[in-house]
Amino acid sequence: MKEVTVLIRDPEQQYEGLRTSLGLLLHATGVNMVMLDHEIAHLDEAFEDNLGFLDEMEGERYSNNQANVDKYEFKPIDREGIYELVKKSDIVIPY
């Protein structure tokens, strides 16, 4: 199984990054979605539902922003952790 890390740095691309992560999970790919440096913007019902689907499909979601960890149940990650995810990934997709 391939490992993919989706790095979402641009708040305007957070929904596309989440949708990409979900699509990759459908193809038997291990996915680590990382929300970098910003709190989730525009948390609407569809985005929240898709976060639930990501969890159900056993994708991982991380953030280095404490607000995402506290409010939205992302796993905390620091720069070293991000480095390790990227290093072990077969593919890295930046947003």
Side-chain angles (χ1 to χ4, degrees), residues 25-53:
L25 283 167
L26 292 173
H27 294 284
T29 304
V31 175
N32 301 300
M33 185 182 83
V34 182
M35 193 75 63
L36 288 172
D37 302 332
H38 68 276
E39 183 177 350
I40 292 175
H42 316 295
L43 181 70
D44 59 12
E45 186 177 346
F47 192 84
E48 193 168 13
D49 287 346
N50 283 327
L51 283 177
F53 295 144

Side-chain angles (χ1 to χ4, degrees), residues 15-73:
Y15 197 73
E16 288 302 315
L18 176 55
R19 288 181 53 204
T20 298
S21 298
L22 288 171
L24 290 165
L25 283 167
L26 292 173
H27 294 284
T29 304
V31 175
N32 301 300
M33 185 182 83
V34 182
M35 193 75 63
L36 288 172
D37 302 332
H38 68 276
E39 183 177 350
I40 292 175
H42 316 295
L43 181 70
D44 59 12
E45 186 177 346
F47 192 84
E48 193 168 13
D49 287 346
N50 283 327
L51 283 177
F53 295 144
L54 183 76
D55 295 339
E56 287 176 24
M57 296 170 67
E58 300 180 3
E60 300 290 340
R61 53 183 166 128
Y62 300 93
S63 183
N64 64 347
N65 183 298
Q66 191 61 42
N68 292 330
V69 172
D70 295 339
K71 294 180 185 177
Y72 309 115
E73 301 177 1

